């Protein structure tokens, strides 16, 4: 039972990070783009914050918003100068251009900051407290709080602000949104800024102790992809729930599935947890082809 | 036997009974019935949003009717999937062009003959006897069609670079390449000038007279419809308000009201 | 090459997106005997060059490796072009099928000791069958869904490769058998008549004919019924269905063709490298390998047979050349810890930039540039003189 509760705590913490990543994917998807460079956005955000704190002695609480601004500007720049000129191209081209950006940003990060591992400069370290036999790190609490704050912010943003409502309208139908006077290029820029925001926060927490920061950090984003489909493509609530489910599944599988002591289903192999989310996705889609919260799209001729 | 007697005695090729289509509370078509006789040039007209395109999309199996029956030469059309239509003998053209932009004119026509050909991946890739004969035979037939439509000078060009009027004609050619019994045309002269419209009108009449293909035409151009159609059906707000010869329809008070609005 | 004989219409400008240089059917006279002769002599010269290459390049590192790897990967790139270029389906899972091919070779060629003549076709067949099963499930999904499902395929596949130790040797990997037919093996040099051939040269003469067969097959396919159906589904699915094309079956067929070529490529690839670790085909590395294939067809020319070949050769040659000549390139690290960037980083960044530049400015790839230049030359005074 203790193990289970301990895994649950870890699962929720990881699930929050996945929820942020999935939210980033979903927001950009509102602008009609799937952003394979999300992982590199997280990487750059985490490195910028780490560099500001450790090399420039900027306080963490100041460094985090600065990192957010850098990555948001980067995202907006990519939208403004590259994506905008590709608007009429097929899905395939858009996927490839973001994959190209992903490779580029990762190599540039290596060139600037090197290959070595480093810490992310957050003040939490490995400090924490115990509830009974369950160990909880302050970092996990902060992940939860930050995620809740961001989710509350987005809830109000999408529900009540002019831009949030315009973004939802755009996600439903770009042409119709343009027809009622929504400035699409503004909306696209905002979506990329939001992606930068959630990517940086997600990246910094992903690199929090006991994990470390290195150039492989961004690959975790690839494991978050099932979240956006699991919840139903384009649904923000679905993405957040999908992310949480993913985190829990991954951590529980890492604890219980394998060939070690007290583990089960050894035939699935060690490390099955890294693919468990994709297996889960496959099963869900076979039963519910449009995800848990998605709706069937009606194709117009 | 007189022309009129012949058409009234000819069996109906397409019969629609009580077609209704609803989307999320919007009724696009309600209780529409009609039949189209073999060899006939049948037109469907109506103001914007009258349900003409919905009707077309039902016949071409893009939409599933909420209720109603549709039979084509004795077959139940509602049961067919859209890729089974070509074999059943139905071809259509699209309002905003349904060509394959990166293929050439000839290749577009050859795609139209897909259901008449057999070669699979392996036969096509190896290109041995049977596959080769078949390919040559169908290319020859398409070349004849290209000739019929006077498209020779464009034959090896990708369609995306051709002028709009030519593309419309290519689309007609591709539909004919299917060797259909029934040809559905969704606004064949939309966006065309007077000269191009006349050219298409003469092609439509050639198709009727020389090839004997039954045609259903959805069109905004009233002069064209009244000039060439054998019978006309008028839709308004998803309902059939009139059906008959062009002169009958033109003098129908309901039709006049729908087009001019209530005084 | 046996091409469809078109009775009246020239096939030259198919898919080029560029106006035909001979505008009307009426004026396109049959090629003169002189031009035909010219064409055949160019092909003959090209054939001779291909034959001579392994004897010229053999002592100059790394040209033989580039040729062999390039030829092998070109087979896979051709396969991906069938799916992504001609059918318009973006797959991030191509490396998975290479893995299936490589492990088929390992199991049947290595564990069971079967002949090359059996395991090579079998690599294609098994990859094709798996492609059929996966395609039937994933191709119900469109666009982004499909892309993410193929991503899942790489991750799940990688996990299976890693854990199926009997075949893959687990995380330390396993050696791959060299092709062998009876007593004749590609593992060591041998003399054929008066000519001594080393291992790389022998591999070249094995892989090149297979690539040529693949080129002929794909070229013929794209000019006949099913190939046109692939392209019709890519361009307009609804219209294609109304031409009698069953779009979902057609997509699955394209997926299978692409998987078969991927499997054959993978078997040869593994056999050429002699040792494989399962990570090469799954997970992050598998994804990067798949992306490299997509980059090949984008840089070479999407939906073009020569494009896939050029892309595969270019992306194979570039990193090999950079690492071989890194001594001569400034700013490159000359040894561990001496500062500067590694040649690996340099190749990666050039690769990302090249991909970006082509995607943004030249989406038709190198083949697109070639076609434009050709059209311009033919329109110019020189062109009029030539024709």
């Amino acid at each position: 039972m203790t193990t289970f509760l301990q895994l649950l705590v870890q699962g929720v913490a990881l699930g929050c990070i996945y929820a942020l990543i999935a939210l980033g994917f979903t927001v950009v998807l509102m602008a009609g783009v799937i952003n394979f460079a999300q992982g590199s956005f997280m990487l750059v955000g985490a490195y910028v914050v780490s560099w500001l704190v450790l090399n420039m002695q900027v306080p963490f609480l100041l460094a985090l918003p600065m990192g957010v601004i850098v990555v948001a500007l980067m995202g907006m720049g990519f939208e403004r100068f590259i994506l905008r000129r590709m608007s009429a191209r097929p899905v395939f081209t858009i996927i490839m251009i973001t994959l190209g950006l992903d490779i580029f940003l990762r190599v540039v990060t290596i060139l600037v900051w090197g290959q070595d591992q480093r810490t992310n400069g957050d003040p939490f370290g490995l400090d924490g407290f115990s509830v009974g036999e369950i160990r909880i790190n302050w970092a996990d609490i902060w992940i939860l709080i930050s995620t809740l704050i961001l989710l509350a912010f987005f809830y109000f943003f999408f529900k009540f602000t002019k831009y949030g409502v315009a973004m939802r309208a755009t996600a439903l139908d770009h042409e119709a949104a343009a027809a009622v006077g929504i400035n699409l290029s503004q909306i696209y820029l905002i979506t990329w800024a939001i992606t930068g925001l959630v990517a940086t926060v997600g990246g910094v927490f992903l690199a929090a102790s006991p994990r470390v920061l290195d150039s492989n950090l961004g690959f975790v984003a690839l494991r978050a992809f099932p979240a956006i489909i699991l919840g139903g493509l384009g649904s923000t609530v679905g993405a957040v729930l999908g992310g949480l489910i993913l985190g829990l599944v991954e951590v529980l599988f890492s604890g219980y599935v394998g060939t070690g002591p007290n583990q089960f289903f050894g035939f699935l192999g060690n490390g099955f947890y890294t693919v468990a989310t994709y297996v889960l996705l496959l099963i869900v889609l076979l039963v519910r082809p449009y995800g848990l919260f998605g709706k069937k799209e009606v194709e117009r001729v | 036997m007189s022309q009129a007697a012949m058409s009234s005695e000819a069996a109906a090729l397409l019969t629609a009974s009580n077609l209704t289509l609803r989307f999320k509370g919007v009724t696009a078509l309600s209780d529409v019935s009609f039949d189209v006789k073999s060899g006939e040039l049948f037109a469907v007209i109506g103001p914007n949003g009258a349900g003409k395109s919905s009707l077309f999309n039902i016949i071409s199996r893009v939409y599933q009717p909420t209720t109603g029956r549709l039979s084509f030469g004795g077959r139940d059309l509602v049961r067919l999937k859209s890729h089974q239509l070509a074999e059943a003998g139905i071809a259509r053209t699209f309002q905003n062009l349904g060509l394959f932009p990166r293929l050439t004119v000839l290749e577009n026509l050859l795609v139209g003959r897909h259901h008449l050909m057999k070669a699979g991946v392996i036969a096509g890739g190896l290109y041995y006897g049977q596959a080769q004969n078949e390919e040559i035979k169908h290319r020859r037939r398409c070349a004849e069609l290209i000739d019929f439509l006077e498209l020779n000078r464009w034959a090896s060009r990708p369609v995306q670079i051709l002028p709009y009027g030519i593309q419309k004609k290519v689309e007609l050619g591709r539909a004919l390449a299917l060797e259909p019994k029934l040809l559905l045309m969704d606004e064949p002269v939309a966006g065309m000038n007077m000269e191009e419209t006349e050219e298409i009108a003469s092609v439509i009449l050639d198709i009727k007279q020389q090839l004997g293909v039954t045609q259903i035409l959805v069109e905004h151009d009233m002069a064209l419809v009244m000039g060439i159609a054998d019978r006309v059906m008028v839709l308004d707000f998803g309902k059939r308000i009139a059906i008959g010869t062009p002169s009958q329809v033109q003098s129908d008070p309901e039709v006049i009201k729908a087009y001019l609005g209530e005084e | 090459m046996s091409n469809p004989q078109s009775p009246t219409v020239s096939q030259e400008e198919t898919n080029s997106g560029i106006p035909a240089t001979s505008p009307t059917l009426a004026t396109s006279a049959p090629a003169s005997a002189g031009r035909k002769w010219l064409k055949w002599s160019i092909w003959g010269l090209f054939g001779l060059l291909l034959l001579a290459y392994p004897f010229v390049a053999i002592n100059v590192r790394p040209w033989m490796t580039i040729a062999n790897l390039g030829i092998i990967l070109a087979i896979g790139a051709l396969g991906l072009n069938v799916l992504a270029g001609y059918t318009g389906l973006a797959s991030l899972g191509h490396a998975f099928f290479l893995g299936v091919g490589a492990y088929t070779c390992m199991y049947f060629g290595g564990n069971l000791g079967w002949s090359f003549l059996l395991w090579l076709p079998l690599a294609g067949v098994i990859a094709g069958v798996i492609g059929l099963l996966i395609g039937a499930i994933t191709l119900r999904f469109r666009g982004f869904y499909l892309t993410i499902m193929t991503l899942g395929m790489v991750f799940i596949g990688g996990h299976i490769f890693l854990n199926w130790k009997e075949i893959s040797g687990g995380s330390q990997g396993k050696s791959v058998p060299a092709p062998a037919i009876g007593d004749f093996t590609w593992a060591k040099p041998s003399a054929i008549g008066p000519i001594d051939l080393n291992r790389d040269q022998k591999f070249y003469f094995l892989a090149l004919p297979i690539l040529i067969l693949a080129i002929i097959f794909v070229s013929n396919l794209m000019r006949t019924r099913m190939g046109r159906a692939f392209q019709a589904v890519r361009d307009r699915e609804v219209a294609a269905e109304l031409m009698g094309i069953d779009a979902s079956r057609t997509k699955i067929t394209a997926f299978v063709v692409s998987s078969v070529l991927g499997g054959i490529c993978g078997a040869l690839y593994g056999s050429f490298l002699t040792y494989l670790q399962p990570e090469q085909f799954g997970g992050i590395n598998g994804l990067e390998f798949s992306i490299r294939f997509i980059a090949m067809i984008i840089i070479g020319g999407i939906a073009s047979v020569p494009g896939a070949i050029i892309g595969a050769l270019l992306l194979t040659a570039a990193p090999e050349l950079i690492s071989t000549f890194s001594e001569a390139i400034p700013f490159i690290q000359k040894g561990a810890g001496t500062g500067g960037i590694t040649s690996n980083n340099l190749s990666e960044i050039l690769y990302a930039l090249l991909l970006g530049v082509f995607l943004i400015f030249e989406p038709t790839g190198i083949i697109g540039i070639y076609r434009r230049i050709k059209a311009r030359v033919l329109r110019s005074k020189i062109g009029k003189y030539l024709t």
Side-chain angles (χ1 to χ4, degrees):
Chain A
M1 196 59 195
T2 313
T3 324
F4 180 73
L5 288 175
Q6 184 70 63
L7 290 173
L8 215 55
V9 170
Q10 284 173 25
V12 170
L14 184 63
C16 284
I17 294 172
Y18 279 158
L20 287 181
I21 302 172
L23 192 63
F25 283 134
T26 303
V27 169
V28 173
L29 212 52
M30 286 177 161
V33 175
I34 196 151
N35 179 20
F36 276 93
Q38 176 93 351
S40 288
F41 279 31
M42 294 164 59
L43 184 69
V44 172
Y47 266 102
V48 169
V49 172
S50 162
W51 176 76
L52 283 172
V53 174
L54 300 178
N55 301 44
M56 297 288 117
Q57 276 75 43
V58 178
F60 179 73
L61 283 179
L62 193 60
L64 186 61
M66 285 167 80
V68 166
I69 290 168
V70 169
V71 180
L73 285 176
M74 197 173 77
M76 288 160 82
F78 176 66
E79 199 287 324
R80 177 67 189 79
F81 297 109
I82 295 179
L83 269 186
R84 193 162 295 180
R85 51 196 307 165
M86 324 260 305
S87 58
R89 304 278 188 81
V91 173
F92 183 69
T93 311
I94 305 291
I95 289 173
M96 281 308 291
I97 193 86
T98 64
L99 280 168
L101 177 70
D102 186 63
I103 299 170
F104 182 78
L105 287 178
R106 195 170 65 245
V107 180
V108 168
T109 307
I110 292 171
L111 292 183
V112 175
W113 286 291
Q115 293 270 32
D116 300 334
Q117 294 186 337
R118 58 191 287 154
T119 55
N120 75 344
D122 69 68
F124 320 121
L126 283 170
D127 293 344
F129 56 92
S130 297
V131 180
E133 288 175 52
I134 302 155
R135 172 81 189 164
I136 298 173
N137 286 347
W138 283 115
D140 293 341
I141 299 290
W142 279 106
I143 290 171
L144 189 64
I145 291 173
S146 315
T147 308
L148 288 176
I149 292 173
L150 280 176
L151 291 183
F153 166 75
F154 283 122
Y155 179 79
F156 284 104
F157 177 77
F158 283 124
K159 200 99 189 175
F160 300 113
T161 68
K162 178 181 140 198
Y163 291 115
V165 174
M167 273 175 68
R168 285 194 297 151
T170 308
L172 286 176
D173 189 334
H174 290 223
E175 277 171 39
V180 297
I182 290 173
N183 183 347
L184 285 186
S185 45
Q186 211 176 28
I187 295 298
Y188 293 163
L189 279 178
I190 295 173
T191 61
W192 282 88
I194 292 177
T195 298
L197 165 67
V198 290
T200 307
V201 176
V204 167
F205 281 117
L206 197 58
S209 306
R211 292 176 291 260
V212 287
L213 179 55
D214 65 22
S215 58
N216 293 326
L217 180 90
F219 294 137
V220 174
L222 295 172
R223 295 227 288 271
F225 267 113
I228 55 173
I229 292 190
L230 211 54
L233 211 55
S235 149
T236 42
V237 180
V240 171
L241 289 177
L244 278 173
I245 295 172
L246 230 67
L248 284 168
V249 166
E250 191 172 314
V251 170
L252 289 175
F253 270 73
S254 79
Y256 287 120
V257 176
T259 52
N262 297 322
Q263 285 188 319
F264 310 97
F265 303 114
F267 67 90
L268 290 174
N270 286 321
F272 182 75
Y273 69 94
T274 56
V275 298
T277 52
Y278 277 100
V279 175
L280 180 73
L281 173 69
L282 197 68
I283 295 167
V284 168
L285 283 185
L286 286 176
V287 184
R288 281 192 62 105
Y290 296 91
L292 295 174
F293 305 95
K295 294 189 187 80
K296 185 180 185 337
E297 347 167 7
V298 178
E299 210 180 335
R300 291 174 70 177
V301 185
Chain B
M1 207 189 285
S2 75
Q3 181 87 39
M6 212 179 101
S7 66
S8 67
E9 277 167 30
L13 182 66
L14 180 83
T15 312
S17 359
N18 314 98
L19 285 180
T20 298
L21 178 71
R22 275 187 217 101
F23 294 113
K24 295 181 190 162
V26 181
T27 305
L29 272 187
S30 100
D31 208 23
V32 172
S33 302
F34 63 94
D35 54 12
V36 180
K37 296 178 179 66
S38 204
E40 196 174 26
L41 177 43
F42 186 86
V44 181
I45 61 170
N48 272 327
K52 297 173 308 234
S53 287
S54 297
L55 178 66
F56 247 45
N57 282 331
I58 290 177
I59 303 175
S60 59
R61 307 301 310 117
V62 180
Y63 295 158
Q64 189 70 9
T66 316
T67 56
R69 281 206 319 265
L70 195 60
S71 83
F72 175 72
R75 283 174 87 171
D76 183 3
L77 261 193
V78 174
R79 287 203 182 163
L80 293 188
K81 296 207 167 91
S82 65
H83 66 85
Q84 292 167 323
L85 280 185
E87 206 167 351
I90 298 179
R92 85 169 265 189
T93 66
F94 290 81
Q95 192 175 340
N96 42 4
L97 285 175
L99 289 170
F100 309 116
R102 288 189 261 176
L103 299 186
T104 64
V105 171
L106 176 71
E107 286 172 320
N108 265 280
L109 263 62
L110 279 164
V111 174
R113 301 188 74 78
H114 183 87
H115 72 105
L116 301 167
M117 300 169 78
K118 283 197 192 68
V121 165
I122 295 172
L126 299 178
Y127 201 59
Y128 64 86
Q130 182 58 42
Q132 193 168 7
N133 293 339
E134 171 188 270
E135 187 69 24
I136 293 170
K137 188 180 109 193
H138 287 274
R139 276 175 187 259
R140 194 165 293 144
R141 177 73 191 111
C142 288
E144 284 165 22
L145 261 176
I146 287 173
D147 219 38
F148 174 76
L149 294 168
E150 294 166 7
L151 288 167
N152 301 48
R153 62 177 297 221
W154 313 102
S156 56
R157 304 277 191 100
V159 295
Q160 64 188 356
I161 63 160
L162 303 182
Y164 182 75
I166 301 293
Q167 294 197 18
K168 278 275 188 189
K169 231 168 130 179
V170 174
E171 206 188 355
L172 209 52
R174 189 185 60 182
L176 289 177
L178 268 81
E179 302 199 344
K181 295 195 203 82
L182 173 66
L183 174 56
L184 307 168
M185 282 176 290
D186 200 350
E187 305 207 5
V189 300
M192 286 191 169
N193 61 29
M194 192 82 98
E195 197 185 329
E196 290 169 323
T197 303
E198 274 171 24
E199 203 185 332
I200 291 287
S202 85
V203 173
I204 292 173
L205 286 174
D206 280 351
I207 294 171
K208 176 180 149 77
Q209 282 149 12
Q210 294 182 22
L211 307 177
V213 177
T214 311
Q215 295 171 82
I216 303 181
L217 181 69
V218 161
E219 191 44 72
H220 270 303
D221 189 320
M222 211 47 77
L224 176 79
V225 169
M226 297 305 171
I228 64 174
D230 294 324
R231 281 196 306 148
V232 179
M233 173 167 76
V234 188
L235 293 179
D236 192 21
F237 292 109
K239 293 198 177 76
R240 185 186 104 180
I241 59 172
I243 187 166
T245 62
S247 53
Q248 285 169 348
V249 166
Q250 269 168 314
S251 55
D252 189 301
E254 283 267 352
V255 177
I256 296 168
K257 202 170 79 184
Y259 271 86
L260 300 178
E262 279 181 271
E263 296 296 316
Chain C
M1 214 187 289
S2 56
N3 290 332
Q5 297 296 307
S6 144
T8 50
V9 181
S10 124
Q11 269 291 292
E12 269 179 69
E13 294 301 321
T14 303
N15 296 328
S16 66
I18 289 172
T21 41
S22 54
T24 67
L25 282 177
T27 61
S28 69
S32 66
R35 278 191 72 195
K36 216 171 209 171
W37 186 86
L38 183 74
K39 199 176 156 189
W40 280 110
S41 42
I42 289 173
W43 277 109
L45 200 66
F46 186 60
L48 279 178
L49 277 176
L50 284 178
L51 279 178
Y53 182 89
F55 301 100
V56 179
I58 190 58
N59 291 320
V60 199
R61 208 178 71 86
W63 291 101
M64 214 47 221
T65 312
I66 291 174
N68 277 325
L69 270 182
I71 287 169
I72 292 168
L73 294 181
I75 299 169
L78 211 50
L80 186 66
N81 220 354
V82 170
L83 184 69
Y86 288 103
T87 320
L89 299 171
S91 167
L92 294 175
H94 204 53
F96 168 72
F97 292 107
L98 263 82
V100 171
Y103 288 116
T104 305
C105 156
M106 257 191 200
Y107 185 73
F108 292 96
N111 295 23
L112 303 184
W114 287 15
S115 154
F116 165 80
L117 293 176
L118 286 172
W119 64 246
L120 189 75
L122 201 61
V125 170
I126 291 182
V129 170
I130 293 178
L132 178 68
L133 294 176
I134 294 178
I137 298 172
T138 56
L139 291 170
R140 300 186 308 154
F141 307 111
R142 282 156 195 275
F144 297 144
Y145 280 82
L146 177 68
T147 311
I148 293 172
M149 295 306 287
T150 57
L151 186 63
M153 192 168 88
V154 177
F155 283 105
I156 297 172
H159 182 76
I160 295 172
F161 292 149
L162 189 63
N163 285 279
W164 202 339
K165 295 196 174 67
E166 195 196 352
I167 292 177
S168 71
S171 54
Q172 32 329 19
K174 201 172 159 186
S175 63
V176 193
I181 302 170
D183 289 337
F184 190 84
T185 163
W186 268 259
K188 50 184 192 286
S190 51
I192 296 174
I195 311 165
D196 284 323
L197 293 176
N198 73 6
R199 176 187 172 274
D200 279 2
Q201 287 168 318
K202 282 166 74 182
F203 226 99
Y204 178 90
F205 288 114
L206 180 72
L208 187 63
I210 296 172
L211 174 63
I212 291 172
L213 287 178
I215 291 173
I216 294 173
F217 186 87
V218 174
S219 307
N220 283 340
L221 177 60
M222 290 311 152
R223 287 169 184 165
T224 50
R225 177 174 173 266
M226 284 310 289
R228 282 191 298 265
F230 293 167
Q231 297 169 72
V233 168
R234 170 196 66 194
D235 282 0
R236 261 166 207 271
E237 195 171 324
V238 177
E241 288 255 338
L242 288 167
M243 302 295 116
I245 295 168
D246 182 342
S248 38
R249 271 187 69 174
T250 303
K251 286 182 194 171
I252 293 173
T253 308
F255 200 68
V256 171
V257 173
S258 151
S259 310
V260 169
L261 288 169
I264 290 174
C265 165
L268 287 171
Y269 180 74
S271 186
F272 178 71
L273 292 186
T274 71
Y275 198 90
L276 281 184
Q277 283 169 314
E279 285 91 346
Q280 280 167 276
F281 301 110
I284 298 299
N285 295 317
L287 176 64
E288 286 188 340
F289 202 10
S290 300
I291 295 172
R292 197 164 277 271
F293 274 107
I294 303 178
M296 285 172 192
I297 61 177
I298 284 175
I299 292 168
I302 200 148
S304 153
V305 168
I309 316 296
I310 293 169
L313 291 174
L314 185 73
L315 282 193
T316 310
E320 292 284 342
L321 291 179
I322 288 173
S323 85
T324 307
F325 298 109
S326 62
E327 295 289 315
I329 307 171
F331 310 116
I332 292 271
Q333 195 173 336
K334 307 291 192 261
T338 54
I341 62 175
T342 64
S343 64
N344 210 354
N345 287 340
L346 181 67
S347 333
E348 284 278 292
I349 208 158
L350 283 178
Y351 164 60
L353 283 176
L354 201 62
L355 180 59
V357 165
F358 273 97
L359 276 168
I360 298 166
F361 301 106
E362 199 55 68
T364 50
I366 293 171
I367 280 296
I369 299 175
Y370 164 75
R371 282 185 181 138
R372 229 183 11 249
I373 292 171
K374 186 177 149 193
R376 193 166 296 164
V377 169
L378 285 174
R379 249 183 281 125
S380 68
K381 280 181 186 157
I382 311 166
K384 285 187 186 114
Y385 178 74
L386 277 176
T387 49

